[in-house]
C-alpha cells in the first residue's frame, strides 16, 4: 500500500448497535443492558457512551472559559501547578517549622498543618516561610488567632493561599445545642475584613463539605450542600457589609474525593459549573466566577485491616482529584485511621502526588478528562440533579433552616445506610476487609468507636457523625480477637461432602465468607457418609457447622442427611452453603438447617450472630 493510499484510508463508521453486538459476543450472548448499574446518586451508568450522550456539552468550550467545567486556567496545570498540601501534625511551633522544612525540601509546596492551640500560640516560628509558600489551612475556630499573629509578620502582605473557616461545617461536626450561627458569622466577617487589610492575598472564607462526605453523602448531596453553603456565606456576609467582590475573591471550596473514580472527576467539574451559574446570577464579573478547590482524599474509604491497600485507595482518589482540576491537594497517609501519621506514611502520601506530577505527567496536559463522552455525560447529570436538590434546600428556607429541620442529616443518613448495606452484603467490596481478608493481618492501632448511645440532647443543629465504610467488619474482628484472648478461638466446622472437586467451590466461598469476621474454618476430611460427618462433629467439639458440597450432592444427600445429624447432635447449629430452590428450602429448614449462605447473604449480620453466639458460649 502506497503512502497516499494509507493517508486516504478511512475506518467504517460504527453505530451503537455495532458496538453492542460486539460487546455481546464477549458476553457470550448476554445483553449489554445487564452491565448497566445504578449509583448512590440514582444515576444509571450505561456500559457504552457515544457522542449522542453529549447533548448538554458545549464542545467548543476550552479550559479557562466559562462555565469552567474544564478548569480555571487555559493551560491547565502548565504554569499553574496544584499545591502539594500534606497536612502535618506537630505539638509546637518549632516542631512544626522543622517538619515543614523537611517536607518542603522533599516536595511539599504549601504550608498545611493540623490546627491546634499549642501550635497556633507559637505560629510566629513560621515567619521565614510566610512569604515563600501559600497556606492551606482549615482554621476553624482558631482562625482569628492565626490571622492576628500572621498580621504582625514584617512581610504580612506577601502571604498567600487560604486560612479559611466554614462556621456551618464546624457546627455539623460537633452539633450545636444553641443557635450560635449569627455570632459565628459575625466573627467570620470580622476576620475577612481585618485580613483583607493586612493579609490581602490570603483567602479566608471556606466551604467545607468533608463532614458531609465522611457522614456518607453521595456526590449529588455534596454538590448541593457546597453551593447552598456558598450561597449562605454570601447572604450572611452581604448583610454584614462585605461586598460581593470581596466575598467571592476570598472563597475556597474544600471537597473530599472518594473511591468512585469517574464520579469524583465529574463531581469536581460539576462543582465549577454550578458555582459559575450561582455567581453569574449574583451579577459577579467573570473573573470572580471561578471556584478554587482544595481537596483531600477520603477518610471514609480507609481501613484498619490490610492498611497498605489504603495507599492504592489514596492514589486512585488523588488521581481523580487532579483530573477534576483542584488547586490544593492532601493525600491521606495509609495509617490515617490511627490519627497520627508516621514519617514513612507521610512520605508515601507526599510522593503519590509527586509521581502524578513527574511520572504521570499530569501537569503537562490541560483537562485530560475533557471530551470523554462518559465523563461529560456524568458531569451533566450530576449538575442537573445537584441543582434540583439545591432548589429543594432553598424551598425549605435555605441551608441553615434545612439543617435545623434535620432534612440534610436525614438525606445523608439514608445514603449512609445504603452504603453500609452494600458493604454488609458484600455487594460493594472493601479489599482486605469484607473480601480477601487475611486472618493473620495486624490492624492499625485504632480504638473503634462504640455504638452511639441514645442522646437526650435537644440539638439546634444535629451533628453528622464521621464514619468509615469498613467499621462494621472491623468491630467483628475486634470481637473475634477478644474471644481469642479469652481462650475461646472463634471457629466453625465445614462439612465437606464428597471429593475435593465436588466441594472445593463452596468450601472456598465459605472460608472467604467467614474470614472477614475473624472466624476460622476447620475443614473435615472428605465426607461420604453419615458416619464420616458424625466422627468429625464429635472430634471437633465445635457447635457451628456449614455443609459444603455440589448441588448434585445436596440432591443425593437431601434434607434427611441434616435430619440425621440434628437427631444425634441436637445442640449444634447447621447451615447450608448455597441457596436451594424455593420449594425445597422449607424441607431443609424443617430438618435443621438454620440458614442458607450464598452470594446475596448479609455477611455482616451472619458473622455478628455467630460471634455473639460464641461469646455467650464462652461465658457458660
Amino acid at each position: 500500500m502506497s503512502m497516499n493510499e494509507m493517508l486516504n484510508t478511512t475506518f467504517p463508521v460504527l453505530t451503537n448497535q455495532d458496538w453492542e453486538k460486539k460487546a455481546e459476543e464477549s458476553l457470550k450472548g448476554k445483553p449489554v443492558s445487564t452491565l448497566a448499574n445504578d449509583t448512590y446518586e440514582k444515576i444509571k451508568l450505561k456500559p457504552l457512551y457515544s457522542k449522542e450522550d453529549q447533548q448538554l456539552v458545549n464542545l467548543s468550550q476550552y479550559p479557562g472559559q466559562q462555565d469552567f467545567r474544564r478548569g480555571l486556567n487555559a493551560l491547565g496545570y502548565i504554569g499553574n501547578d496544584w499545591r502539594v498540601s500534606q497536612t502535618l501534625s506537630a505539638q509546637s511551633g518549632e516542631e512544626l517549622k522543622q517538619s515543614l522544612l523537611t517536607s518542603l525540601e522533599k516536595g511539599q509546596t504549601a504550608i498545611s498543618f493540623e490546627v491546634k492551640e499549642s501550635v497556633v500560640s507559637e505560629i510566629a516560628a513560621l515567619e521565614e516561610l510566610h512569604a515563600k509558600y501559600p497556606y492551606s489551612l482549615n482554621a476553624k475556630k482558631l482562625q482569628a488567632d492565626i490571622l492576628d499573629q500572621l498580621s504582625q509578620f514584617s512581610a504580612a502582605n506577601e502571604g498567600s493561599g487560604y486560612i479559611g473557616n466554614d462556621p456551618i461545617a464546624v457546627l455539623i461536626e460537633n452539633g450545636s445545642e444553641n443557635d450560635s450561627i449569627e455570632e459565628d458569622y459575625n466573627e467570620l466577617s470580622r476576620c475577612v475584613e481585618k485580613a483583607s487589610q493586612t493579609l490581602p492575598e490570603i483567602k479566608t472564607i471556606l466551604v467545607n463539605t468533608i463532614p458531609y462526605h465522611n457522614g456518607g453523602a453521595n456526590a449529588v448531596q455534596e454538590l448541593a450542600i457546597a453551593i447552598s453553603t456558598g450561597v449562605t456565606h454570601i447572604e450572611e456576609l452581604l448583610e454584614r457589609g462585605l461586598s460581593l467582590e470581596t466575598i467571592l475573591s476570598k472563597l475556597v471550596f474544600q471537597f473530599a474525593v472518594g473511591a468512585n473514580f469517574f464520579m469524583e472527576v465529574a463531581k469536581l467539574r460539576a462543582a465549577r459549573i454550578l458555582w459559575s451559574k450561582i455567581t453569574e446570577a449574583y451579577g459577579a464579573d467573570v473573573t470572580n466566577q471561578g471556584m478554587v478547590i482544595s481537596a483531600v482524599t477520603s477518610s471514609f474509604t480507609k481501613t484498619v485491616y490490610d492498611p497498605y491497600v489504603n495507599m492504592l485507595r489514596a492514589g486512585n482518589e488523588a488521581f481523580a482529584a487532579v483530573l477534576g482540576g483542584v488547586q490544593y491537594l492532601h493525600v491521606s497517609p495509609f495509617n490515617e485511621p490511627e490519627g497520627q501519621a508516621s514519617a514513612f506514611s507521610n512520605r508515601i502520601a507526599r510522593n503519590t502526588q509527586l509521581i502524578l506530577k513527574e511520572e504521570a505527567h499530569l501537569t503537562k496536559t490541560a483537562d485530560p478528562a475533557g471530551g470523554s463522552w462518559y465523563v461529560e455525560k456524568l458531569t451533566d447529570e450530576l449538575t442537573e440533579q445537584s441543582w434540583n436538590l439545591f432548589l429543594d434546600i432553598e424551598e425549605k428556607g435555605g441551608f441553615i433552616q434545612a439543617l435545623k429541620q434535620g432534612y440534610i442529616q436525614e438525606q445523608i443518613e439514608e445514603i449512609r445506610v445504603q452504603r453500609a448495606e452494600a458493604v454488609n452484603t458484600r455487594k460493594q467490596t472493601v479489599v482486605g476487609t469484607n473480601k480477601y481478608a487475611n486472618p493473620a493481618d495486624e490492624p492499625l492501632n485504632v480504638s473503634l468507636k462504640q455504638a452511639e448511645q441514645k442522646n437526650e440532647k435537644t440539638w439546634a443543629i444535629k451533628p453528622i457523625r464521621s464514619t468509615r465504610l469498613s467499621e462494621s467488619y472491623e468491630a467483628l474482628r475486634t470481637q473475634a480477637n477478644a474471644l481469642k484472648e479469652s481462650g475461646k478461638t472463634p471457629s466453625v466446622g465445614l462439612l465437606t461432602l464428597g471429593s475435593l472437586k465436588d466441594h472445593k467451590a463452596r468450601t472456598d466461598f465459605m472460608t472467604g465468607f467467614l474470614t472477614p469476621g475473624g472466624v476460622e474454618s476447620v475443614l473435615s476430611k472428605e465426607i461420604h457418609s453419615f458416619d464420616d460427618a458424625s466422627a468429625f462433629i464429635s472430634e471437633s467439639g465445635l457447635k457451628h457447622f456449614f455443609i459444603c458440597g455440589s448441588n448434585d450432592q445436596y440432591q443425593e444427600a437431601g434434607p434427611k442427611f441434616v435430619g440425621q445429624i440434628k437427631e444425634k447432635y441436637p445442640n449444634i447449629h447447621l447451615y447450608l452453603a448455597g441457596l436451594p430452590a424455593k420449594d425445597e428450602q422449607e424441607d431443609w429448614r424443617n430438618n435443621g438447617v438454620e440458614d442458607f449462605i450464598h452470594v446475596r447473604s448479609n455477611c455482616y449480620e451472619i458473622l455478628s450472630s455467630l460471634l455473639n453466639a460464641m461469646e455467650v458460649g464462652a461465658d457458660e
Side-chain angles (χ1 to χ4, degrees):
M1 181 181 290
S2 68
M3 180 63 70
N4 284 336
E5 288 175 321
M6 290 177 65
L7 291 173
N8 292 323
T9 298
T10 60
F11 292 98
V13 177
L14 298 177
T15 65
N16 274 0
Q17 289 72 26
D18 295 326
W19 284 109
E20 288 177 6
K21 182 179 179 181
K22 194 66 179 175
E24 285 173 2
E25 290 177 13
S26 301
L27 295 170
K28 299 181 180 178
K30 286 178 65 177
V32 176
S33 59
T34 59
L35 298 179
N37 62 85
D38 295 315
T39 70
Y40 294 111
E41 293 77 15
K42 297 181 181 178
I43 293 174
K44 184 172 285 294
L45 299 181
K46 304 192 303 180
L48 291 172
Y49 285 81
S50 67
K51 60 185 178 182
E52 284 75 25
D53 291 298
Q54 289 187 307
Q55 299 169 1
L56 302 179
V57 179
N58 178 6
L59 296 179
S60 64
Q61 186 189 76
Y62 292 98
Q65 293 183 345
Q66 200 178 26
D67 56 18
F68 301 106
R69 76 177 64 216
R70 302 198 63 190
L72 293 182
N73 302 302
L75 295 178
Y77 290 125
I78 301 173
N80 294 281
D81 205 351
W82 81 85
R83 297 292 184 168
V84 178
S85 308
Q86 292 302 126
T87 302
L88 304 178
S89 181
Q91 302 304 316
S92 68
E94 187 58 35
E95 181 186 344
L96 174 62
K97 177 183 175 181
Q98 295 307 315
S99 182
L100 272 169
L101 287 171
T102 300
S103 297
L104 291 166
E105 181 184 354
K106 295 181 178 180
Q108 180 142 335
T109 57
I111 299 171
S112 184
F113 56 90
E114 184 182 340
V115 174
K116 57 180 71 171
E117 290 183 1
S118 61
V119 173
V120 171
S121 64
E122 300 175 6
I123 204 167
L126 302 184
E127 183 164 7
E128 69 179 79
L129 301 175
H130 174 78
K132 296 179 181 178
Y133 300 95
Y135 291 91
S136 175
L137 295 181
N138 179 359
K140 300 185 179 180
K141 288 184 175 296
L142 292 176
Q143 182 185 38
D145 290 343
I146 295 173
L147 295 174
D148 284 345
Q149 293 189 62
L150 298 189
S151 296
Q152 306 305 313
F153 289 177
S154 58
N157 63 347
E158 296 180 34
S160 61
Y162 74 92
I163 302 172
N165 177 32
D166 179 351
I168 302 177
V170 172
L171 292 181
I172 276 296
E173 286 181 325
N174 305 307
S176 176
E177 295 178 69
N178 304 308
D179 191 353
S180 62
I181 196 67
E182 290 297 320
E183 180 52 39
D184 292 337
Y185 270 111
N186 289 339
E187 177 70 9
L188 178 60
S189 178
R190 287 192 290 269
C191 286
V192 175
E193 287 187 297
K194 187 171 182 179
S196 295
Q197 298 170 13
T198 57
L199 302 160
E201 299 303 317
I202 290 181
K203 298 180 184 294
T204 45
I205 308 170
L206 191 65
V207 172
N208 178 19
T209 66
I210 295 173
Y212 312 99
H213 174 94
N214 289 339
N218 63 29
V220 168
Q221 291 168 337
E222 289 180 66
L223 288 170
I225 286 168
I227 60 173
S228 192
T229 301
V231 167
T232 303
H233 287 354
I234 291 174
E235 293 295 329
E236 293 289 342
L237 294 173
L238 283 175
E239 284 184 14
R240 288 162 173 80
L242 294 179
S243 69
L244 179 66
E245 182 182 1
T246 297
I247 296 167
L248 295 180
S249 67
K250 297 300 182 182
L251 258 172
V252 174
F253 287 75
Q254 192 167 44
F255 289 97
V257 179
N260 190 339
F261 183 84
F262 291 106
M263 185 69 74
E264 296 301 311
V265 173
K267 178 177 82 177
L268 297 174
R269 301 172 96 245
R272 288 192 294 273
I273 297 172
L274 290 162
W275 191 241
S276 173
K277 299 306 178 187
I278 289 288
T279 52
E280 185 179 14
Y282 272 100
D285 183 86
V286 68
T287 57
N288 280 320
Q289 291 180 18
M291 173 187 277
V292 175
I293 298 177
S294 175
V296 303
T297 56
S298 173
S299 64
F300 184 73
T301 61
K302 304 307 181 289
T303 62
V304 166
Y305 284 90
D306 207 355
Y308 294 114
V309 178
N310 289 338
M311 294 182 189
L312 303 179
R313 296 183 179 107
N316 176 72
E317 293 160 3
F319 190 15
V322 173
L323 291 193
V326 303
Q327 281 66 56
Y328 301 86
L329 178 60
H330 163 79
V331 175
S332 53
F334 72 87
N335 65 334
E336 180 185 40
E338 290 183 320
Q340 180 66 47
S342 64
F344 173 68
S345 63
N346 256 338
R347 179 168 67 87
I348 295 299
R350 182 176 58 246
N351 286 353
T352 298
Q353 297 199 53
L354 301 184
I355 288 170
L356 292 175
K357 287 188 178 199
E358 306 300 334
E359 298 187 31
H361 302 297
L362 294 184
T363 58
K364 294 179 171 59
T365 304
D367 188 27
S372 161
W373 297 325
Y374 176 31
V375 173
E376 298 290 8
K377 178 63 174 176
L378 200 52
T379 300
D380 290 336
E381 290 182 293
L382 281 177
T383 302
E384 182 178 355
Q385 289 201 31
S386 301
W387 184 258
N388 290 335
L389 180 54
F390 165 70
L391 294 179
D392 287 345
I393 294 170
E394 289 300 294
E395 287 179 3
K396 294 186 180 299
F399 190 56
I400 294 175
Q401 287 303 314
L403 286 172
K404 290 179 178 179
Q405 295 164 24
Y407 174 73
I408 301 296
Q409 294 90 328
E410 290 168 6
Q411 294 289 306
I412 292 174
E413 176 64 11
E414 182 180 328
I415 301 300
R416 188 201 65 78
V417 169
Q418 291 177 21
R419 293 186 191 276
E421 181 71 10
V423 170
N424 289 350
T425 57
R426 305 203 301 175
K427 182 179 179 181
Q428 179 176 346
T429 297
V430 182
V431 174
T433 298
N434 70 350
K435 279 190 180 180
Y436 317 116
N438 179 359
D441 234 354
E442 288 295 324
L444 295 174
N445 185 20
V446 174
S447 296
L448 296 176
K449 300 169 186 172
Q450 298 297 316
E452 289 185 320
Q453 302 296 317
K454 290 288 184 182
N455 201 319
E456 301 302 327
K457 289 182 179 179
T458 301
W459 296 105
I461 294 180
K462 184 179 179 182
I464 295 176
R465 186 176 76 90
S466 176
T467 185
R468 290 181 294 105
L469 269 177
S470 56
E471 284 182 356
S472 58
Y473 283 91
E474 290 163 1
L476 293 180
R477 295 285 286 270
T478 299
Q479 188 177 3
N481 289 338
L483 276 170
K484 289 179 184 178
E485 291 171 3
S486 71
K488 178 69 175 179
T489 301
S491 303
V492 301
L494 302 189
L495 296 167
T496 56
L497 306 186
S499 61
L500 179 64
K501 65 180 179 63
D502 295 320
H503 64 72
K504 180 172 172 48
R506 283 190 168 130
T507 299
D508 289 347
F509 168 75
M510 281 310 312
T511 301
F513 188 93
L514 295 162
T515 304
V519 179
E520 297 180 9
S521 303
V522 180
L523 275 64
S524 69
K525 296 179 179 178
E526 294 181 359
I527 291 176
H528 297 281
S529 66
F530 168 73
D531 289 339
D532 291 340
S534 179
F536 173 67
I537 292 170
S538 295
E539 293 167 6
S540 71
L542 300 172
K543 294 183 179 180
H544 299 82
F545 296 89
F546 294 77
I547 301 168
C548 302
S550 66
N551 289 340
D552 289 341
Q553 288 170 316
Y554 290 168
Q555 288 291 331
E556 183 180 340
K560 290 184 179 178
F561 176 72
V562 175
Q564 284 181 285
I565 296 174
K566 283 293 287 185
E567 185 176 353
K568 186 170 182 180
Y569 302 97
N571 295 324
I572 67 170
H573 304 274
L574 288 173
Y575 306 84
L576 187 73
L579 185 64
K582 282 187 177 180
D583 58 351
E584 299 174 2
Q585 292 177 17
E586 186 176 354
D587 198 11
W588 284 100
R589 290 189 184 278
N590 289 339
N591 279 276
V593 167
E594 296 184 19
D595 206 349
F596 306 104
I597 313 301
H598 50 89
V599 293
R600 293 189 299 278
S601 294
N602 190 311
C603 183
Y604 169 76
E605 287 186 357
I606 290 168
L607 291 173
S608 180
S609 177
L610 273 175
L611 288 170
N612 288 339
M614 292 174 183
E615 210 166 44
V616 171
D619 294 335
E620 291 175 352

